């Protein structure tokens, strides 16, 4: 039986239908906004109500016992300092020695305040805090940094580098020991940290205008020069030379080269203590396209978890995130977030059967 056709009404007209659609969309949008706001309010209430921070909730019942995770307040242009401070704090051997130093010297009336004492005080504030997470202002330390106290660098010196030069005429080897805090290495496009270190320790020939004055020959001679690690450090700090002065431009330029750095690093023929193994625990990352602009953050491993420290913000990140900071395989690329300073900790008590020296820094 055929259906009776209805006569069109105003309700069925296109303008009316469109109006109903708009009203329905507006209502739906309003409900979604309300639901989103309620969800956000509920999340904030849940955190406040439970007394737990977002990071504490991320850790859950796996929050490391006795550990503290504090962001650092930025005083305008202190993101680089904050990032390095965080890396140093989670360098466990250094932190323990510094807190021990603080415990022994904090009550001395004639103790002079310096960069080291300010850092020790900051570390003590964090480690002794009743809260597990939060934000702290490293104001005293930042103020003292401007005075460039050399006592701090003296305390941070580690292993020993040996500068060896061999005269090609008489074969005499001249060796000079130098203490170091870090190994700043040149980088190449699409390379690895291992290859960069190999270049750092490679033999260099001194000739022409660069001839070496040999004390035995009493004259300038051609020679071979190389660097060796005489005493391996507990903590190996490796800045990648991403900021290079370009003479043609008369300014520094950031090198966005892709440099792959491993989670586990071996120092083999580079040192007297062969086959020393190191584990990556911190990366200071530069965000930005140039040396005079941008931002610094730190990616740090603590108790088998990787965390991101961005001034006062601290959050958990997956380990795979580290790969995004290797650099760019092309000179002009959208990614400007690059690993800048790498922190490795030696694993195991001995290297090649040689016991650790009780002297020196960390």
């Amino acid at each position: 039986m055929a259906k009776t056709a209805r006569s069109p009404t105003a309700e069925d007209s296109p303008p009316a239908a469109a109006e109903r659609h708009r009203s329905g969309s507006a209502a739906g949008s309003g409900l979604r906004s309300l639901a989103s706001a309620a969800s956000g309010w509920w999340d904030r209430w849940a955190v406040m109500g439970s007394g737990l921070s977002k990071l504490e909730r991320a850790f859950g019942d796996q929050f490391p016992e006795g550990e503290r995770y504090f962001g650092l307040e930025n005083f305008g242009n202190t993101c680089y300092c904050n990032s390095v401070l965080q890396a140093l704090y989670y360098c466990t051997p250094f932190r323990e020695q510094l807190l021990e130093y603080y415990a022994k010297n904090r009550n001395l009336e004639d103790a002079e305040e310096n960069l080291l004492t300010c850092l020790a005080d900051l570390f003590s504030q964090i480690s002794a805090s009743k809260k597990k997470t939060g934000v702290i202002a490293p104001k005293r330390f930042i103020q003292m940094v401007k005075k460039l106290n050399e006592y701090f660098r003296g305390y941070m010196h580690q292993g020993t580098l040996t500068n060896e030069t061999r005269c090609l005429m008489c074969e005499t080897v001249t060796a000079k020991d130098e203490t170091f805090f870090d190994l700043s290495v040149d980088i190449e496009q699409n390379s690895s940290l291992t290859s960069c270190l190999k270049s750092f320790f490679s033999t260099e020939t001194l000739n022409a205008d660069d001839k070496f004055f040999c004390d035995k020959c009493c004259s300038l001679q051609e020679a071979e020069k190389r660097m060796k690690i005489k005493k391996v450090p507990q903590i190996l700090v490796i800045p990648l030379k991403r900021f290079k002065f370009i003479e043609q431009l008369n300014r520094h330029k950031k090198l966005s080269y892709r440099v792959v750095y491993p989670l586990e690093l071996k120092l083999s023929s580079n040192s007297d203590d062969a086959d020393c193994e190191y584990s990556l625990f911190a990366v200071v990352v530069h965000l930005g396209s140039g040396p005079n602009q941008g931002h610094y953050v730190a990616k740090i491993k603590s108790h088998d978890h990787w965390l991101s420290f961005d001034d006062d913000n601290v959050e958990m990140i997956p380990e795979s995130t580290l790969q995004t900071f290797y650099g760019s395989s092309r000179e002009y690329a959208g990614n400007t977030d690059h690993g800048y300073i790498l922190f490795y900790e030696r694993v195991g008590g001995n290297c090649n059967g040689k016991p650790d020296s009780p002297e020196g820094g960390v």
Side-chain angles (χ1 to χ4, degrees), residues 107-122:
N107 295 323
L108 297 179
E109 296 181 0
D110 57 344
E112 181 181 357
E113 186 176 75
N114 54 52
L115 195 59
L116 187 65
T117 60
C118 290
L119 182 62
D121 181 66
L122 175 64

Side-chain angles (χ1 to χ4, degrees), residues 262-280:
L263 295 177
E264 307 298 330
L265 176 69
K266 254 188 184 180
L267 282 182
S268 53
S269 60
N270 303 330
S271 65
D272 289 338
D273 292 340
D275 298 328
C276 286
E277 295 186 358
Y278 287 84
S279 179
L280 182 71

Side-chain angles (χ1 to χ4, degrees), residues 9 18 21 122 192 223 266 329 355:
T9 62
H21 178 73
L122 175 64
S192 67
K266 254 188 184 180
S329 57

Side-chain angles (χ1 to χ4, degrees), residues 74-92:
N74 191 318
F75 293 99
N77 61 344
T78 59
C79 58
Y80 174 74
C81 185
N82 286 349
S83 298
V84 175
L85 281 175
Q86 295 287 16
L88 291 177
Y89 184 81
Y90 293 99
C91 171
T92 307

